[in-house]
């Protein structure tokens, strides 16, 4: 029954398949407060408003002298007595009319002053300062609320917190931020042939690399790995692991056991426990896309081939995870670079090649080269690469032609958008 289901699966474009997958996924939505030092890469769960102006008061942008602009002659020099000295953090007294206040960067402007003269542009003489006119009124003054006005929304819901958002929240006096709780993800890796690294290999066995690729990808995206099992190709073991994974997490990723012709334990276990969908997608690598839900927990079945697993994670699992996290921008960053290679894609499937993006040798823009071995078992190509190059279906690429690339720097980080 499963086999005929697979054969009858329609061929979908990547975007159609992605829409089907994402339609079945809702943001986790549970909220918590996080201390500011632990807020990096978390997602803001409700708008954060400024309770007060930043800066809270008019202050000096320079070391110099605070004056009333009207006291300075439009032409020639004006000599004013220095009536007070204001350092950062001090409360000034009102400016005595017709005098200047010595002032330092960040110190509050005294009432009655409206302009700061840089110390480089004047000279001090026995308790007086000599200033050359004319002055531009308001010069070198940071106005209250100039950075952030009270009442403004500073962090929108769905914003990923980067170092600069941490600083911004601190500048408003916030010690905590409202965020969504971390998304919990389970990994179920299948394969009789797999051995954990650290143990010796028997003939015919290989090391379970996918488990580590996946846990790295999940950490990089700020997820919590809540359950991880490596199981043999066996229906009962698969059912058991998937049922546990569904209880433990918001999202399940499986590795292996879903390719055409494979003993269909993963698909059968999903169908037994919940809902199964199999679509053939016009991308390479990673043609069949297996997804579904088990007891309400969405699941994505990734291929066992290490490169296919990596690519399908980036194309399908990543946006699903971002949606679960409450993020609003799910599309990966793409940019254009000139190909250094020639390639003909004879098939009606979009190809993702392991590639390296670098500054062009002639200093104009970027160029992209591809790894010489693009096989789906050549995991070293993913380590060599810093991006995926996108070759359209039936596309031909000539050297010098601009093609789309997806840099890992944005694909594998929660901080990029
Ligand atoms: P499968 O999708 O289960 O048919 O696996 C396809 C290929 O990927 C086979 O050559 C497997 O040995 C290999 N493979 C499957 N799972 C893993 C894994 N966890 N780590 C490394 N290679 C794997
Ligand atoms: Mg297998």
């Amino acid at each position: 029954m499963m086999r005929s289901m697979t054969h009858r699966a329609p061929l979908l474009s990547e975007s159609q398949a992605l829409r089907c997958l994402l339609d079945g996924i809702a943001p986790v939505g549970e909220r918590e407060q996080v201390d500011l030092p632990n807020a990096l890469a978390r997602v803001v769960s409700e708008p954060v408003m400024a309770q007060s102006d930043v800066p809270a008061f008019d202050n000096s942008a320079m070391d110099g002298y605070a004056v009333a602009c009207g006291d300075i002659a439009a032409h020639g020099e004006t000599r004013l007595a220095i009536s007070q000295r204001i350092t950062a953090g001090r409360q000034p007294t009102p400016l005595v009319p017709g005098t200047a206040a010595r002032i330092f960067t960040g110190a509050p402007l005294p009432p009655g002053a409206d302009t700061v003269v840089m110390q480089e542009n004047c000279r001090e003489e026995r308790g007086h300062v000599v200033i050359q006119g004319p002055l531009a009124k308001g010069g070198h003054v940071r106005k209250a609320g100039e950075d952030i006005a009270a009442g403004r929304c500073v962090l929108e819901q769905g914003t990923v917190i980067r170092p600069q958002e941490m600083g911004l929240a601190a500048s408003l006096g916030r010690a905590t931020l409202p965020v969504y709780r971390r998304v919990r993800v389970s990994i179920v890796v299948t394969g009789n042939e797999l051995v954990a690294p650290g143990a010796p290999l028997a003939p015919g066995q290989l090391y379970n690399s996918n488990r580590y690729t996946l846990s790295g990808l999940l950490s990089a995206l700020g997820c919590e790995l809540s359950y991880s099992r490596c199981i043999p190709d066996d229906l009962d073991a698969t059912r058991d692991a998937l049922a546990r994974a569904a209880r433990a997490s918001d999202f399940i990723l499986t590795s292996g056991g879903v390719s055409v012709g494979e003993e269909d334990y993963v698909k059968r276990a999903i169908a037994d426990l919940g809902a199964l969908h199999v679509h053939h997608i016009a991308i390479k690598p990673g043609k069949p896309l297996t997804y579904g839900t088990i007891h309400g927990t969405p699941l994505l079945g990734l291929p066992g081939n290490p490169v296919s697993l990596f690519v399908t994670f980036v194309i399908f699992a990543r946006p699903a995870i971002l949606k679960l996290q409450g993020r609003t921008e799910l599309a990966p960053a793409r940019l254009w670079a000139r190909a250094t290679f020639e390639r003909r894609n004879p098939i009606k499937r979009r190809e993702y090649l392991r590639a390296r993006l670098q500054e062009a040798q002639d200093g104009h823009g970027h160029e992209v080269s591809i790894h010489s071995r693009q096989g789906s078992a050549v995991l070293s190509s993913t380590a060599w690469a810093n991006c995926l190059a996108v070759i359209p279906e039936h596309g031909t690429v000539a050297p010098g032609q601009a093609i789309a690339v997806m840099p890992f720097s944005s694909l594998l980080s929660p901080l990029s958008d």
Side-chain angles (χ1 to χ4, degrees), residues 65-67 71 78-84 95-102 124-131:
Y65 298 86
V67 298
D71 287 343
T78 304
R79 186 180 153 89
L80 300 176
I82 300 168
S83 54
Q84 63 176 311
L95 185 70
V96 177
T99 71
R102 178 75 169 119
E124 217 178 295
E125 284 176 353
R126 295 183 308 280
H128 289 71
V129 61
V130 179
I131 295 168

Side-chain angles (χ1 to χ4, degrees), residues 189-190 193-194 206-210 255-257 259 262 303-306:
V189 175
T190 69
E193 72 280 33
L194 301 175
L206 62 117
Y207 287 117
N208 176 5
S209 60
N210 289 350
S255 154
S259 50
E262 173 86 12
N305 268 313

Side-chain angles (χ1 to χ4, degrees), residues 244-292:
R244 286 169 195 271
R247 283 193 292 276
S249 57
D250 306 306
F251 191 43
I252 306 168
L253 292 171
T254 65
S255 154
V258 290
S259 50
V260 181
E262 173 86 12
E263 292 189 82
D264 288 328
Y265 297 121
V266 172
K267 282 180 275 188
R268 264 163 57 191
I270 300 168
D272 286 355
L273 296 169
L276 169 72
H277 306 279
V278 180
H279 287 145
H280 280 205
I281 330 154
I283 70 165
K284 186 185 172 189
K287 192 171 167 193
L289 182 76
T290 301
Y291 67 97

Side-chain angles (χ1 to χ4, degrees), residues 309-350:
L309 171 119
F310 180 82
V311 172
T312 49
F313 181 98
V314 163
I315 305 297
F316 294 107
R318 178 184 172 277
I321 287 168
L322 300 193
K323 186 167 181 189
L324 285 160
Q325 288 175 330
R327 294 181 57 166
T328 44
E329 181 55 64
L330 308 183
R334 275 178 175 227
L335 42 96
W336 294 85
R338 277 175 286 137
T340 60
F341 58 91
E342 193 165 357
R343 182 106 181 161
R344 202 174 69 80
N345 177 10
I347 53 173
K348 197 171 172 251
R349 283 158 71 189
R350 179 183 294 173

Side-chain angles (χ1 to χ4, degrees), residues 144-160:
E146 179 182 292
D147 183 359
I148 303 162
R152 208 188 95 190
C153 173
V154 280
L155 298 178
E156 302 205 17
Q157 189 174 336
T159 302
V160 180

Side-chain angles (χ1 to χ4, degrees), residues 20-104:
C20 293
L21 172 70
L22 294 179
D23 279 351
I25 288 176
V28 169
E30 287 168 40
R31 298 177 163 147
E32 60 192 26
Q33 291 286 326
V34 68
D35 291 339
L36 214 44
N38 299 319
L40 188 67
R42 303 295 296 271
V43 182
V44 174
S45 62
E46 57 191 79
V48 175
M49 316 298 287
Q51 305 289 348
S52 53
D53 280 342
V54 179
F57 49 85
D58 292 355
N59 68 86
S60 179
M62 291 288 174
D63 292 336
Y65 298 86
V67 298
C69 188
D71 287 343
I72 307 301
H75 303 287
E77 295 185 333
T78 304
R79 186 180 153 89
L80 300 176
I82 300 168
S83 54
Q84 63 176 311
R85 188 168 184 276
I86 314 163
T87 52
R90 296 294 288 274
Q91 177 81 17
T93 56
L95 185 70
V96 177
T99 71
R102 178 75 169 119
I103 197 163
F104 297 92

